[in-house]
Amino acid sequence: MGVLARRFLNLIVPGCTPGVKSLRRIDLTRHELFYPVGFESAPPPPAAAGAQDAISRPSALEMETVRFLGPSFTFRALKNDWKMDCFPLADYSECKVVCADLSGRGFVFDLDSPKVGTIPPLRTPKVMPISVFVHKPQVDGNYDNYSNGSSLFLMEKVPQPEARSGGGHVFYDSVQESEQFVGLINHRSTNPGSDKSWHCHRLPPPPFVHETIHWSNNNCPEITAYGVVGGGSHVCISVKGVGTYCLDTESHTWNKVGDWTLPFHGKVEYLPQLKLWFGLSTGARHCLAAADLSGMLDSSSQPQRLVAGPWQELVDLPEEWKECKDPQFVSLGSGRFCIARFFQEAAGSSDGVAHKNFTVLTGVEVNSRGKAEGGTWELELQMTTHRSRRVNDTSIEALF
């Protein structure tokens, strides 16, 4: 491992109005987040003249700053006061994004072409959506395969209870499709001679949406972790205080796999080189963590994190740096990740510049090696922290 599978890091940045979003791209060959292949750990900087010991890494205030020359693309809603959502239609080897505004109209942008294509309306706008992309190129490229191909699943992060009336009664329907859970799915229609294309479908909600016990005291359960398992056969979600569910990406049926929740916060990504799933951990710092989810569909036991201690990529930060929202991460391929942390700096900081908001992007690399433990050979994971880059005066909504 140790080679980037992609050149650009993509950032979604809000514009001057809710209906405007910009996409900015960081060229990872210019703003390198990783030291050259061959370093087992980040090399220390040269010691200053007269210094007795070299510092193990540059101080936080000496981070190189990434400056943008301008947006690569700007997305606009039909009306400037309309909310616009952007969803990556991609894995680490793809560079596409879907945008949709309150009208439900949607476009897909190919960032490498660049090309713009239309997609079916994405149903009712979402309040706080999350997205999970399932990539099935082997199905997409097979004209005679009528199965569901690549799919973008959109869900409300905090779903609301759903009820419908009938016969003078209000009851909850476990089959009824929901506007809160939809799929943008690539498949052939039933029309003879039709090509494969994107279709938007309402999906049945997971059972907890209809279980009124979870809505006591107006407390709506929240989806805390989500990702793809089973090689694309299922999408899993963990719901705070409720449990973990899996959606069959072919039949679009839900199954509860346990009362436990995944040991992650936010999205979860599979790394084929290590055959493990990675994400940010639960807890105060949300550090990078790994778990084996391969047996989750066949077992009711809760997957455990494989690293006992936290993998902290940023340490010894200035006191005036306060994290202002949850961090994010993206896989760059071959065991390499970028972790983004979002800070607000107090006025009168030591560098004399009052940056209201800024982001720190850090490259980290995970490798494995075997070790003997109690007469058996076990897999040991190691994380190496590489370079950090600072992005000033920019409110980043998402990176992919």
Side-chain angles (χ1 to χ4, degrees):
M1 296 197 296
V3 178
L4 288 177
R6 49 186 287 185
R7 176 179 174 181
F8 293 100
L9 179 66
N10 305 304
L11 312 175
I12 298 295
V13 178
C16 54
T17 65
V20 177
K21 299 288 176 67
S22 293
L23 183 134
R24 299 174 183 268
R25 311 191 78 184
I26 295 178
D27 188 338
L28 297 175
T29 63
R30 292 182 54 208
H31 302 286
E32 295 181 344
L33 291 178
F34 297 90
Y35 292 104
V37 175
F39 286 103
E40 294 297 329
S41 60
Q52 295 182 354
D53 298 307
I55 304 174
S56 60
R57 64 183 60 162
S59 71
L61 297 178
E62 295 174 345
M63 291 179 185
E64 178 182 310
T65 299
V66 176
R67 293 178 174 84
F68 298 117
L69 298 178
S72 299
F73 299 94
T74 298
F75 314 125
R76 292 182 182 273
L78 282 176
K79 297 182 180 180
N80 281 342
D81 59 345
W82 280 5
K83 175 175 174 282
M84 171 171 278
D85 293 313
C86 299
F87 310 103
L89 190 70
D91 60 12
Y92 66 79
S93 62
E94 298 282 333
C95 291
K96 297 180 181 178
V97 60
V98 166
C99 298
D101 61 18
L102 289 180
S103 71
R105 69 169 189 150
F107 297 91
V108 58
F109 294 82
D110 187 331
L111 308 180
D112 286 336
S113 299
K115 294 180 180 178
V116 180
T118 59
I119 58 173
L122 295 180
R123 317 291 307 188
T124 303
K126 304 295 179 285
V127 177
M128 191 184 303
I130 58 175
S131 67
V132 182
F133 180 64
V134 179
H135 197 199
K136 296 183 178 180
Q138 71 281 3
V139 179
D140 295 337
N142 187 346
Y143 181 81
D144 295 323
N145 191 328
Y146 284 79
S147 300
N148 292 331
S150 296
S151 303
L152 178 69
F153 294 98
L154 305 178
M155 314 174 196
E156 286 286 9
K157 184 177 182 180
V158 185
Q160 301 299 307
E162 296 184 0
R164 65 182 179 90
S165 298
H169 301 282
V170 175
F171 60 94
Y172 290 83
D173 190 336
S174 60
V175 180
Q176 180 181 352
E177 294 173 341
S178 170
E179 293 285 359
Q180 299 186 94
F181 295 81
V182 300
L184 183 65
I185 302 167
N186 185 29
H187 63 77
R188 289 179 63 178
S189 68
T190 56
N191 297 328
S194 62
D195 293 329
K196 288 188 176 182
S197 60
W198 294 103
H199 301 262
C200 191
H201 299 271
R202 291 187 304 172
L203 305 176
F208 77 91
V209 171
H210 304 298
E211 298 167 354
T212 56
I213 187 174
H214 301 305
W215 274 268
S216 58
N217 300 322
N218 296 320
N219 183 26
C220 297
E222 176 182 338
I223 298 176
T224 56
Y226 49 93
V228 180
V229 295
S233 67
H234 290 78
V235 166
C236 67
I237 62 171
S238 281
V239 185
K240 185 178 181 180
V242 179
T244 296
Y245 298 81
C246 283
L247 172 71
D248 188 307
T249 59
E250 186 63 33
S251 65
H252 296 157
T253 55
W254 289 93
N255 177 47
K256 187 173 184 179
V257 295
D259 294 327
W260 40 264
T261 55
L262 295 172
F264 297 110
H265 178 83
K267 72 171 181 178
V268 180
E269 292 201 15
Y270 178 65
L271 188 62
Q273 293 88 347
L274 294 176
K275 298 182 180 180
L276 295 172
W277 281 257
F278 288 80
L280 299 179
S281 65
T282 56
R285 281 303 309 274
H286 299 315
C287 299
L288 189 66
D292 184 359
L293 307 184
S294 59
M296 195 177 72
L297 298 175
D298 304 319
S299 173
S300 60
S301 60
Q302 179 177 5
Q304 301 296 319
R305 279 178 21 198
L306 297 181
V307 180
W311 279 341
Q312 294 189 21
E313 85 286 355
L314 283 180
V315 295
D316 301 328
L317 296 177
E319 292 184 2
E320 60 269 20
W321 288 20
K322 306 299 181 184
E323 289 198 58
C324 55
K325 63 179 182 179
D326 290 343
Q328 299 182 33
F329 86 107
V330 62
S331 173
L332 300 175
S334 301
R336 292 186 166 190
F337 302 87
C338 173
I339 299 177
R341 294 192 181 272
F342 308 97
F343 296 94
Q344 188 172 65
E345 192 172 20
S349 59
S350 59
D351 65 352
V353 180
H355 300 296
K356 293 182 179 180
N357 293 286
F358 65 95
T359 303
V360 175
L361 306 172
T362 303
V364 300
E365 183 175 7
V366 178
N367 287 287
S368 65
R369 67 179 184 182
K371 69 172 183 177
E373 188 72 28
T376 61
W377 192 255
E378 295 185 357
L379 181 71
E380 180 184 48
L381 295 177
Q382 292 184 328
M383 187 191 82
T384 300
T385 299
H386 288 256
R387 295 183 170 109
S388 291
R389 298 288 184 256
R390 176 169 169 158
V391 184
N392 287 331
D393 303 323
T394 298
S395 178
I396 298 172
E397 288 189 352
L399 67 156
F400 63 97

